[in-house]
Amino acid sequence: MRKRHPGVHPSTVDVLRVCAILLVAAGTAGCVRHRALSTAGVTDADYALAIERGRNIMRPLVRRGSGAAVAVGVNGRIVWSEGFGRTSPTGAEPVTPDLPFRVYSLMKQVTAVLALQSAVAGEVDLRESVRRIIPDLPEHYEPVTLLQLLTHTAGVRHYRDPSEALLTAHCATAAEALPLFIDDPLVDAPGRGESYSTFGFVLASAVLERAARMPFDALIDARILGPSGMTSTRLEDGRSPRTTVAFYDVDADGRLREAPAVDNSCRMGGGGFVASAEDIVRFHNAVLRGELVPLQAVRQMLGERTALDAAGSGPGGQAVSRVDLASGISVAIVSNTSGLEQEIALERARTLVAAVFTPEN
């Protein structure tokens, strides 16, 4: 069982083992006090009954004044997307399904697919030392490979304490984020065992950035966002006026309190981006259509697994997703409140896939 780390609650499901991973970290939930304001984006008439059932599943995730959004893709296209609640307890703006939320560790799955693309293009070798790409890394990274970084087996440390989940500095490139951890000793020998690490994905982001000679966010834009039709995803920037939702934590009494001001950009491909529920599903749909990486390769790497859960959380929000390769269904749920168990939201995502949107239902 994975150890729990301060500031993050990783789930136990890895995704694209070997060459790409659709990954992990914590969730979303809530308790209903009144009927949540709802703003629909896509409502496919062929799924009218399923959508109404889906609304009943989503509404309990919204607390008074908080917000959440959901998107569902079937066979490569979005069939339902909807926002619930408001962007802040004191604001009048309703949540829409194209509104960017923090997606935390859901970004790891995007980084993993980008790594596979880079390997196919011959820019990186997933099994070679990362010092072949960044020679000035400390010597103890010589046995570390990109594949190990993507599978949490490189031995790179995670957060030492909760304060490392409250970064306020902005990183414009992945290279700028390396000083946060790069000189620290490894917590285990590379390849020996699994040790969850967001900083491992920061290093992976820097390797991909150096190999492509392009800033990491520009690389994501060119190779993932554009081809997938993603329109709201971007590197978080706490210096700019807030153009997403307001972010809240839930205290022990169940009350919303404004989350500490943070800038997650230094987490880069480990959790430094904001995205809408619709964009997450657009990414999944592009993967399911084989437009980003060969789908057959994904199936082979997954072995007997056909359903992929991912989750992420941090100050002021939570996000979960589920992709079912057998049915071609993808679900993403995002929320602007943290402090609640991820399993509630993950179970709702599983229910939307297995009991609501599958053809036999």
Side-chain angles (χ1 to χ4, degrees), residues 59-345:
R59 287 183 181 117
L61 294 178
V62 181
R63 290 172 174 265
R64 186 184 301 275
S66 68
V70 62
V72 176
V74 178
N75 295 324
R77 63 186 181 89
I78 295 176
V79 300
W80 176 45
S81 63
E82 193 157 338
F84 296 83
R86 299 185 182 277
T87 58
S88 72
T90 57
E93 291 297 319
V95 169
T96 58
D98 59 350
L99 188 68
F101 285 70
R102 289 174 179 154
V103 292
Y104 308 100
S105 284
L106 291 195
M107 191 61 196
K108 290 182 171 72
Q109 57 192 299
V110 180
T111 303
V113 170
L114 177 64
L116 179 55
Q117 290 179 331
S118 297
V120 171
E123 292 177 347
V124 299
D125 185 328
L126 297 177
R127 298 184 181 277
E128 283 189 348
S129 169
V130 292
R131 294 185 80 217
R132 302 288 179 88
I133 303 296
I134 310 180
D136 51 341
L137 288 174
E139 289 185 7
H140 58 271
Y141 286 93
E142 182 62 34
V144 171
T145 69
L146 183 55
L147 177 60
Q148 290 168 344
L149 294 172
L150 297 174
T151 55
H152 299 288
T153 58
V156 178
R157 75 171 180 88
H158 191 56
Y159 306 146
R160 286 193 179 123
D161 57 66
S163 68
E164 290 194 317
L166 299 172
L167 301 176
T168 57
H170 182 76
C171 293
T173 67
E176 292 179 12
L178 295 183
L180 293 168
F181 65 92
I182 203 67
D183 291 323
D184 296 331
L186 300 178
V187 299
D188 203 353
R192 177 177 293 177
E194 186 177 319
S195 179
Y196 185 87
S197 175
T198 289
F199 286 142
F201 266 77
V202 174
L203 179 52
S205 303
V207 170
L208 297 172
E209 177 180 89
R210 178 73 70 89
R213 300 180 181 181
M214 185 184 301
F216 184 76
D217 64 334
L219 192 58
I220 288 288
D221 191 14
R223 298 187 182 179
I224 301 291
L225 307 189
S228 301
M230 299 165 70
T231 58
S232 67
T233 304
R234 64 182 184 275
L235 187 66
E236 186 169 347
D237 190 346
R239 303 167 303 174
S240 301
R242 182 170 282 163
T243 56
T244 60
V245 296
F247 299 106
Y248 295 88
D249 290 331
V250 182
D251 65 18
D253 297 322
R255 293 172 297 190
L256 293 179
R257 298 183 182 278
E258 189 166 1
V262 300
D263 185 331
N264 287 309
S265 59
C266 292
R267 293 179 176 79
M268 285 289 157
F273 284 65
V274 296
S276 66
E278 288 183 341
D279 261 13
I280 295 168
V281 171
R282 289 187 183 107
F283 167 71
H284 291 157
N285 285 346
V287 171
L288 289 168
R289 292 192 299 261
E291 295 174 352
L292 300 179
V293 292
L295 183 57
Q296 185 58 36
V298 174
R299 295 184 185 278
Q300 290 175 350
M301 288 182 284
L302 289 173
E304 296 181 356
R305 289 179 296 167
T306 60
L308 313 171
D309 287 336
S313 73
Q318 304 175 58
V320 301
S321 69
R322 182 173 176 83
V323 185
D324 189 289
L325 271 70
S327 64
I329 299 174
S330 166
V331 174
I333 298 172
V334 292
S335 168
N336 69 340
T337 57
S338 63
L340 299 165
E341 290 299 322
Q342 69 164 353
E343 285 302 324
I344 297 176

Side-chain angles (χ1 to χ4, degrees), residues 23-75:
L23 237 135
V24 281
T28 188
C31 55
V32 124
R33 296 184 182 179
H34 63 100
R35 186 177 180 87
L37 178 69
S38 177
T39 305
V42 177
T43 53
D44 191 311
D46 292 339
Y47 292 88
L49 180 59
I51 289 170
E52 189 53 43
R53 292 174 65 189
R55 289 179 177 133
N56 292 333
I57 291 171
M58 281 295 301
R59 287 183 181 117
L61 294 178
V62 181
R63 290 172 174 265
R64 186 184 301 275
S66 68
V70 62
V72 176
V74 178
N75 295 324

